[in-house]
Every structure is written in C-alpha cells, then in structure tokens.
Amino acid sequence: RALRFQIPTAKLFTKSQRFASTLTFIETSKDGNLVSSSLNALTAAAQLGNPIHAVILGSHASTAANILKSSVQCEKLTKILVSDNIGFDHYLPEKVAPLFAHLLKNDEYSHFVSASSTVGKTNLPRLGALLDLQPINDIIKILDSRTFSRPIYAGNAIATVQCSQPKKLISIRASAFEPITQGSTDSAVIEEIQQIEPETFIDVKWEGETLMKSERPELGSASRVVTGGRALKDKETFEKILVPLADVLNAGIGATRAAVDNGFCDNSLQVGQTGKVVAPDLYVAIGVSGAIQHLAGMKDSKVIVAINNDPEAPVFKVADYSLEGDAYEVVPELVRRLKEM
Ligand code: FAD
C-alpha cells in the first residue's frame, strides 16, 4: 500500500540557486566517537549523488572529523565542517538548529540529512520551523533527489513523498541504510565553521543527566535482541528469563509496552511504534503477542524467532522460527543447549 504526498514549494529561497551539495549531520558520542547511525546517514547522503559536507559539533568535533576521514570511504565527502565550541555539546536543539539554519541559508545546499536518532528527531522540527520548510522524517528509501519513501500508520503503509521545496530536510531510519563503507577519505578537507556563538541564540542551559550504565549491547545498535513481553509476569521473572539468554547470545534486551507499563524494566527498552525501532540480525520475542504497535518496531529484523504458548499468536505470522511452548521451560532449555555449543 503506497500513498503519495506532495509537499508544496516554500517561498523562502528566491535568489538564483546553485544547489549542489548535501549537508550531513554527524553525531558523536560523549567520548568523541562517531555515532553509528550517522554512518548510515552518510550512506543515504551519498545516494543523493551530490558532494557531501559533513558537519560535526561540540568539544570533540575536530578529533571526530579526523576519525571520520580515516575510517570511512566516501568519495562524495569533500568537506567536514567543524565547530569545537563546547556550547554545542549535548546537541541542545535551541543551539544546534539555529547553526544548521545558518549554514543552510547558503545556496550551495539542496539537502540536509541526519539520522532519525533522538538528537535528529529533536533538531529537525526546530530547523524546519526556522527555515519555514517541512522536514521529511524517518525515510527508508531514496527514490530520487526529491522523492522518498517513509513508513506511516505504524509501518502499515509506505508513503511516497515528493518534495518540491528548494531544500529538503531529511531524517533517515538508520536500519534501512547500510553504514558507509569503511576505509579512508583523504581528500575531504576539514574546515572550521565561522559562525555566531551558540550562546547568542537562546538562553538555555544543560543541567545534567543520569545515565544508565550497562555492559550489554545497546538496544538500538545491537546485532541481536532478546525481547520479553507481558508473559514474564514481573521484574524479577523478566530478568531471570531474559538475562541468561541475552548473555549467551551477547544480545541487547528489549521489551513490549505491556512489560514496560507493568514495571518489568525501564521504558528505554521498549520496542515498537512508541518505543525504539530495531532491525537486528536476530530478534527473539518471548511471551510477546505481536500487536501491530510492537511489530512496527521490529518486523524488519533479519531473523525473527518467536516463543509463545499460543499457536494463534500474531507474532508467529512474522516469525522465521516459531517455537510453540511455555517460555519458562523453553528459554532455560535453549540457554542450556546454546552453552553446550
Ligand atoms: P500481550 O499482548 O498480553 O501478549 C502476551 C503474550 O504472551 C500472549 O501472546 C500469550 O500467548 C503469551 N504468553 C503468555 N504466557 C506465556 C508463557 N508462559 N510462555 C510463552 N508465551 C506466553 N506495544 C509495544 O510493544 N510497543 C509499542 O511501542 C507500543 N506502542 C503503542 C502505541 C499505541 C498508541 C497503542 C494503543 C498501543 C501500543 N502498544 C505498544 C501496545 C500494544 O498494542 C500491545 O498491547 C502490547 O504490545 C502487548 O504486549 P505483550 O505482547 O507483551 O502482551
């Protein structure tokens, strides 16, 4: 089911335009490493066919720019714009979006691409408002430089969006694009952004954060995910059943909304329409019915294994391997067998 939408031309850019380049936001983690979803965003940017200028912000920007140059092979990447200004740390949208808007007023840029990460999602609407442009979120395919596919209705339909605005603001669903090829791009020049101080934009201050620390692979980027549903009764049982399997598979842990709402785990583990969208190599759903809102977050996983005691459970319709049985017996047995391998 495909729907077509047209986004009208905005009146903002009336000068003669020399649109040619794509500005791509590359996020870094707190320790200055490149965030993996940004490498998928770079692939999407390369598919647009234009030269790419990456933009990296915050106190690690210059280091990250060098990491980018020496770790990705992307011939379209011609320039890396950096600002080491500490004011850009934490990517507060009130500071970052005005900078992007400032850069995008340059006629050189026809597209802005970022990952549909938490940072991407918080920045893009503000950027759209600043430039009076409609962003196109969470795209899964680039059909041509102005036509994109994106899921709607919790992934039950794919909309084809054709955008006639002079500049396209796009966020990409990372799981729909491969990370850019590894290698090096020696030809890309690193350039300091000459711009207004972020402090002059809006008076907003980063107060602090409380981070949950875990040795386990992060749900959003894990290649294997083990998810538990309401069947796992309570927090203690949830952990008792899931953790040994996640350990043996070196998997991230996910949960349904029912599991989160019942307090089995933190809501950062929720997978689905109102949680995280994941597409790991292996997704094991345990005691999960397979409601459409949950499927919206995991149905693109490469291999889906479902363990459920109800043969009619909808999750079996999307599963590659269906294990009908009691999770309390099946999962410990599975762990035992995997340990023997
Ligand atoms: P249930 O539907 O209750 O399923 C439990 C399953 O466990 C059943 O299939 C049962 O057969 C099986 N089971 C029971 N005992 C055992 C056993 N011993 N061994 C094996 N199997 C067993 N849900 C999400 O997950 N993510 C979302 O992002 C999300 N967003 C939503 C947004 C909206 C607007 C709405 C309205 C709903 C949303 N939901 C979301 C909720 C969703 O509709 C379902 O209610 C939820 O996914 C059900 O979770 P569950 O599969 O754990 O529970």
Side-chain angles (χ1 to χ4, degrees):
R1 278 162 290 169
L3 304 179
R4 280 187 95 81
F5 294 104
Q6 275 214 321
I7 294 177
T9 310
K11 296 184 193 93
L12 188 70
F13 301 96
T14 49
K15 284 197 278 175
S16 67
Q17 289 153 348
R18 295 173 285 108
F19 292 154
S21 304
T22 298
L23 187 66
T24 305
F25 176 39
I26 303 293
E27 281 175 54
T28 62
S29 58
K30 290 180 183 34
D31 51 8
N33 285 317
L34 306 174
V35 168
S36 61
S37 60
S38 290
L39 302 181
N40 306 64
L42 211 46
T43 300
Q47 287 178 11
L48 289 164
N50 298 327
I52 299 168
H53 294 179
V55 51
I56 309 184
L57 305 174
S59 42
H60 298 295
S62 293
T63 316
N66 283 307
I67 296 175
L68 185 68
K69 265 186 81 150
S70 59
S71 63
V72 305
Q73 192 191 335
C74 179
E75 62 187 36
K76 300 219 172 297
L77 180 63
T78 56
K79 199 185 278 184
I80 306 173
L81 297 166
V82 295
S83 172
D84 286 301
N85 194 316
I86 196 169
F88 290 127
D89 282 2
H90 312 295
Y91 302 129
L92 291 173
E94 291 85 351
K95 295 194 173 187
V96 170
L99 176 75
F100 293 149
H102 172 74
L103 294 173
L104 284 165
K105 283 187 178 152
N106 184 337
D107 283 347
E108 189 174 2
Y109 296 117
S110 57
H111 293 77
F112 175 81
V113 176
S114 78
S116 190
S117 58
T118 308
V119 173
K121 280 181 189 163
T122 48
N123 271 304
L124 212 55
R126 185 171 283 267
L127 180 58
L130 288 170
L131 294 177
D132 196 18
L133 295 172
Q134 168 68 52
I136 306 164
N137 292 306
D138 214 19
I139 67 159
I140 55 168
K141 202 168 179 187
I142 294 170
L143 301 173
D144 61 44
S145 64
R146 60 189 199 127
T147 318
F148 313 97
S149 298
R150 62 181 295 264
I152 55 171
Y153 303 132
N156 284 297
I158 304 298
T160 302
V161 182
Q162 195 167 78
C163 178
S164 53
Q165 295 173 156
K167 291 179 192 252
K168 283 90 181 151
L169 310 180
I170 300 161
S171 73
I172 62 109
R173 182 175 286 195
S175 58
F177 296 87
E178 292 295 323
I180 196 86
T181 319
Q182 291 183 356
S184 67
T185 308
D186 301 329
S187 54
V189 293
I190 299 178
E191 199 176 290
E192 185 78 25
I193 299 173
Q194 302 296 325
Q195 43 83 37
I196 11 173
E197 288 294 300
E199 287 75 14
T200 62
F201 293 141
I202 285 186
D203 190 15
V204 55
K205 194 165 114 217
W206 177 262
E207 286 290 347
E209 64 189 351
T210 311
L211 287 178
M212 296 216 325
K213 289 225 164 66
S214 169
E215 297 297 306
R216 200 169 289 294
E218 203 271 319
L219 178 60
S221 54
S223 62
R224 295 167 183 173
V225 171
V226 170
T227 284
R230 196 197 309 266
L232 302 184
K233 285 184 195 154
D234 54 34
K235 188 174 189 316
E236 196 188 348
T237 318
F238 183 87
E239 287 170 4
K240 191 172 136 205
I241 297 291
L242 291 194
V243 170
L245 184 59
D247 282 347
V248 76
L249 291 174
N250 189 28
I253 289 185
T256 64
R257 177 155 145 186
V260 169
D261 287 351
N262 283 296
F264 301 179
C265 61
D266 187 77
N267 69 0
S268 61
L269 301 191
Q270 184 175 317
V271 173
Q273 182 187 339
T274 43
K276 293 207 166 101
V277 177
V278 298
D281 295 336
L282 174 69
Y283 189 89
V284 187
I286 301 168
V288 171
S289 60
I292 55 163
Q293 295 91 352
H294 185 76
L295 300 185
M298 48 62 80
K299 66 178 165 34
D300 292 330
S301 304
K302 312 244 172 359
V303 175
I304 298 173
V305 176
I307 301 171
N308 198 301
N309 62 3
D310 175 7
E312 303 296 324
V315 70
F316 285 147
K317 294 206 174 79
V318 298
D320 299 287
Y321 296 93
S322 302
L323 234 164
E324 189 193 323
D326 184 346
Y328 295 92
E329 291 169 15
V330 171
V331 178
E333 177 66 9
L334 193 59
V335 173
R336 197 179 62 75
R337 300 267 189 110
L338 284 167
K339 280 185 176 162
E340 280 172 11
M341 284 169 77

